[in-house]
Amino acid sequence: MPSPLPSRTRGPKPTKVDPDHLLDAAQAVFAEEGLRAASLRAIARRAGCDPALIYYHFASKEALFLALLNRRFPALLRDMARLAEPTDLRPTPLRLWDVLLIYHRYFKDDPGIRALIRGEIVRGAEGLGHLIEDQIRPMVGSIRQIFEQGIARGEVRPEVQPLMATFFLAKMQLEILDVLPAVLPLLTELPPEGAVLTGMRAWLEILWRGVALDASSPLPTLPSPLV
Amino acid sequence: MPSPLPSRTRGPKPTKVDPDHLLDAAQAVFAEEGLRAASLRAIARRAGCDPALIYYHFASKEALFLALLNRRFPALLRDMARLAEPTDLRPTPLRLWDVLLIYHRYFKDDPGIRALIRGEIVRGAEGLGHLIEDQIRPMVGSIRQIFEQGIARGEVRPEVQPLMATFFLAKMQLEILDVLPAVLPLLTELPPEGAVLTGMRAWLEILWRGVALDASSPLPTLPSPLV
DNA sequence: ACCAATATTCAACACCTGTTGAATTGGACC
DNA sequence: GGTCCAATTCAACAGGTGTTGAATATTGGT
């Protein structure tokens, strides 16, 4: 009778699949497939385990994604908050450049999170609503402070609305990371390699001239990101 | 015997469901649900017909979406091309404002198309690749010409890279249309009503100061969009 | 040596997706 | 009045999705 046929594959593996390994796999798949299209089966395949195991460690697909966020955002928020401290007396354009560099560091290889803080927040994604409260609002607050301090220090035009400027700065940086490398080769003969850095420099150059009190003041030299 | 029970519901309806009506429904659903999430069954429900009927008029879901694009883009491209004619001697900031207004006119109520020319081009969407060639490239070309003419006329700084400036101008306008009304109320107490127009004005103000040869020259008054 | 807790898989559920082939009806033409 | 074509629906297919309950193997403690 082959009816029960006790398969020998169940039970704990010799090397356990800890939740962090699952998060790694999830991050990779979310990055490649996008947020909605990433399936639990694909994540499990990547992690080398059964889809059901994910439910042993996480309550749902959404909880898995939230855990992913909670692994990344705290460090990002800390960096951003440090940058916004009023004791930082460097020129405002340099501080804004640092904002772009932080985005670059944390989001460059993670389209999944980019997609989230980009648009998937807006529609759908009901359970992620408080993410805005908890994570994005402090981030926005930090950047906004830099602009406000810039106004107070007489470097930024007082007519500039700090919140709008923050929106522009941050949103465009996401677009530069996201689509510029993909779109530039289609429109020009330029190779995609330097696209991101070229775009970032061109962007800060225009934005800074746009918000500076003295538009003719030269930009300080902008250091490249550490790779 | 209720076995055959010839239902009286088949055959042509008294009022035919012409393809244009299907396109209307498709546009509405694509707009509400986004590109990937919009299902043919939802579109059919909206149009008041059976999903299979869609396949009578269109070869596939992708063909349906392409037909939707072909219904919109030609007029948009015509408007954009007219705007870029070198005989238009109005101040460059006014012409750039018109670019924003055209985007506003054609994309304001159509998140489906926005999502497409935004990011879904990049990954997935294999069959839509030539859309970039056919539709987006001429659009980019027109805006780029405006910047180039601005440089030639001594209104725009010659160091500005026209292609980058085009990318910034157009991309940000999409973001303003897309997420600003949804995100602004979450971050501030401002109501979402005027968000788009406020954002557009703030954006052009900063961008123009950023690219103008004479950053202290005042912006001309920007007319509101005709609703 | 036993027992309990932990970690893992299997098999299934209910649902949704794009798509298709056959059946059916109404109207137009001859 | 019969015939053909265009328009529409029905029912199903094959595959994918998130999720769950039960079964099972390993490990650690006593």
Side-chain angles (χ1 to χ4, degrees):
Chain A
M1 278 88 81
S3 58
L5 196 92
S7 43
R8 308 282 147 102
T9 57
R10 296 195 215 202
K13 287 184 178 177
T15 87
K16 288 183 187 175
V17 178
D18 69 305
D20 232 57
H21 179 219
L22 283 183
L23 285 178
D24 290 341
Q27 176 166 336
V29 175
F30 277 132
E32 286 171 12
E33 311 281 338
L35 192 47
R36 277 189 160 84
S39 76
L40 289 177
R41 284 170 171 84
I43 294 174
R45 215 177 305 128
R46 182 79 151 233
C49 71
D50 191 271
L53 182 60
I54 298 179
Y55 283 86
Y56 182 75
H57 291 290
F58 303 95
S60 66
K61 183 185 179 183
E62 184 183 304
L64 171 67
F65 190 77
L66 280 180
L68 205 52
L69 291 182
N70 287 331
R71 202 172 63 154
R72 300 230 116 191
F73 260 91
L76 165 70
L77 291 183
R78 224 179 307 121
D79 283 6
M80 211 60 104
R82 190 183 319 137
L83 200 57
E85 280 170 8
T87 55
D88 183 347
L89 296 177
R90 293 174 302 155
T92 300
L94 247 163
R95 301 173 79 195
L96 295 179
W97 179 248
D98 273 359
V99 171
L100 298 191
L101 290 185
I102 289 179
Y103 264 67
H104 184 269
R105 175 152 15 108
Y106 283 96
F107 296 142
K108 182 167 165 16
D109 298 317
D110 206 331
I113 294 195
R114 287 208 302 267
L116 178 82
I117 70 172
R118 180 193 210 195
E120 310 222 30
I121 289 176
V122 178
R123 59 179 130 273
E126 270 70 21
L128 305 177
H130 54 94
L131 175 87
I132 302 180
E133 310 283 327
D134 300 349
Q135 318 276 24
I136 295 195
R137 206 202 288 263
M139 188 167 78
V140 169
S142 292
I143 305 177
R144 178 187 185 148
Q145 280 176 39
I146 298 179
F147 280 109
E148 285 168 348
Q149 293 165 12
I151 295 178
R153 297 174 190 177
E155 298 181 79
V156 176
R157 296 191 349 253
E159 308 90 50
V160 169
Q161 307 172 34
L163 191 73
M164 283 289 178
T166 298
F167 179 81
F168 296 150
L169 177 70
K171 256 318 182 177
M172 186 58 77
Q173 173 67 349
L174 283 183
E175 296 300 313
I176 290 172
L177 293 173
D178 229 19
V179 308
L180 198 56
V183 130
L184 212 53
L186 295 172
L187 297 172
T188 71
E189 282 78 29
L190 294 180
E193 285 105 51
V196 167
L197 203 55
T198 307
M200 286 170 62
R201 294 197 125 95
W203 169 229
L204 188 69
E205 213 252 327
I206 288 182
L207 178 80
W208 175 245
R209 263 200 160 76
V211 301
L213 186 73
D214 177 12
S216 61
S217 70
L219 260 189
T221 52
L222 305 174
S224 283
L226 309 168
V227 283
Chain B
M1 279 88 85
S3 58
L5 193 92
S7 43
R8 308 281 147 103
T9 57
R10 296 195 216 201
K13 288 185 177 177
T15 87
K16 289 183 186 174
V17 179
D18 68 303
D20 233 56
H21 178 221
L22 283 183
L23 285 178
D24 290 341
Q27 176 166 338
V29 176
F30 278 133
E32 285 171 11
E33 310 281 338
L35 191 47
R36 277 188 160 84
S39 75
L40 289 177
R41 283 171 171 84
I43 294 173
R45 215 178 304 128
R46 182 79 151 234
C49 71
D50 190 271
L53 183 59
I54 298 179
Y55 284 85
Y56 183 77
H57 291 290
F58 303 95
S60 66
K61 184 185 180 183
E62 185 183 305
L64 171 67
F65 190 77
L66 281 179
L68 205 52
L69 291 182
N70 287 331
R71 202 172 63 155
R72 301 228 116 190
F73 261 91
L76 165 69
L77 292 183
R78 222 180 308 119
D79 283 5
M80 211 60 104
R82 189 182 320 134
L83 199 58
E85 278 171 10
T87 55
D88 183 346
L89 296 176
R90 293 175 301 154
T92 301
L94 247 164
R95 302 173 79 195
L96 295 179
W97 179 248
D98 271 359
V99 171
L100 298 190
L101 290 185
I102 290 179
Y103 264 68
H104 184 269
R105 174 152 17 108
Y106 284 97
F107 296 141
K108 181 167 166 18
D109 298 316
D110 205 331
I113 294 196
R114 288 207 302 266
L116 179 83
I117 70 170
R118 180 193 208 197
E120 309 221 30
I121 288 177
V122 179
R123 59 178 131 271
E126 269 70 21
L128 305 177
H130 56 92
L131 173 88
I132 302 179
E133 309 284 327
D134 301 349
Q135 318 277 25
I136 296 195
R137 206 203 286 265
M139 188 168 78
V140 168
S142 292
I143 306 177
R144 179 189 186 148
Q145 280 176 40
I146 298 180
F147 280 109
E148 284 168 348
Q149 294 165 12
I151 295 178
R153 297 174 190 176
E155 298 180 80
V156 176
R157 297 189 351 253
E159 307 90 51
V160 168
Q161 307 171 36
L163 191 72
M164 282 289 177
T166 298
F167 179 81
F168 296 150
L169 176 71
K171 255 321 181 174
M172 187 57 77
Q173 173 67 350
L174 283 182
E175 297 299 313
I176 290 172
L177 293 174
D178 228 19
V179 308
L180 199 55
V183 130
L184 212 53
L186 295 173
L187 298 172
T188 72
E189 282 78 30
L190 296 178
E193 284 106 51
V196 166
L197 205 55
T198 307
M200 286 169 63
R201 295 197 125 94
W203 169 230
L204 189 68
E205 213 252 327
I206 288 182
L207 178 79
W208 175 244
R209 263 200 161 75
V211 302
L213 187 73
D214 176 13
S216 61
S217 70
L219 262 188
T221 54
L222 305 174
S224 282
L226 309 169
V227 282

